Amino acid sequence: MSDLPPIPAPAAPGQPAAVPAQDPGRDRAAKTAREFEAVFIGQMTKLMMESVEVGDQFSGGHGEEMFRGILAEQLGNEISRRGGLGLAPAVMDQIIRLQGQTK
């Protein structure tokens, strides 16, 4: 497994999260990898939501259809923020390799 910087615990409202000092290039690679994972998870979630058959009693109608994509995106962001699926470390390793950096 990669040594991707840990995701800091959520800070108190109005307070910035404490992040340990690291190499700025590595931090950008980690952020990009997490964002990629969030988008990937959001797309998977959207496809799963589209495959579920919704009955008339629980259908949100046109409004639900409009906001389903936003819900999937936010689910992807939150799942990634809380550790994701383990995709971010592999993506980060590839980003660093493509940039020609060493670990």
Side-chain angles (χ1 to χ4, degrees):
M1 181 80 41
S2 171
D3 55 339
L4 181 67
I7 297 173
Q15 299 295 321
V19 178
Q22 291 192 345
D23 173 29
R26 190 169 184 79
D27 288 343
R28 282 193 307 271
K31 182 177 185 266
T32 301
R34 287 187 190 137
E35 289 172 355
F36 176 84
E37 183 176 42
V39 170
F40 179 80
I41 294 169
Q43 291 297 312
M44 282 189 355
T45 304
K46 183 178 176 188
L47 289 171
M48 288 190 302
M49 292 169 74
E50 289 172 356
S51 69
V52 174
E53 209 172 297
V54 180
D56 291 337
Q57 294 178 346
F58 295 103
S59 173
H62 184 65
E64 178 185 345
E65 291 174 20
M66 286 178 48
F67 290 103
R68 191 176 290 160
I70 295 171
L71 175 61
E73 178 183 336
Q74 292 304 312
L75 284 170
N77 289 337
E78 189 63 21
I79 291 169
S80 179
R81 189 181 74 78
R82 293 180 180 244
L85 304 175
L87 183 62
V91 171
M92 185 176 134
D93 287 344
Q94 291 301 315
I95 290 171
I96 291 171
R97 278 193 197 105
L98 289 172
Q99 291 176 344
Q101 298 177 2
T102 60
K103 285 188 172 184

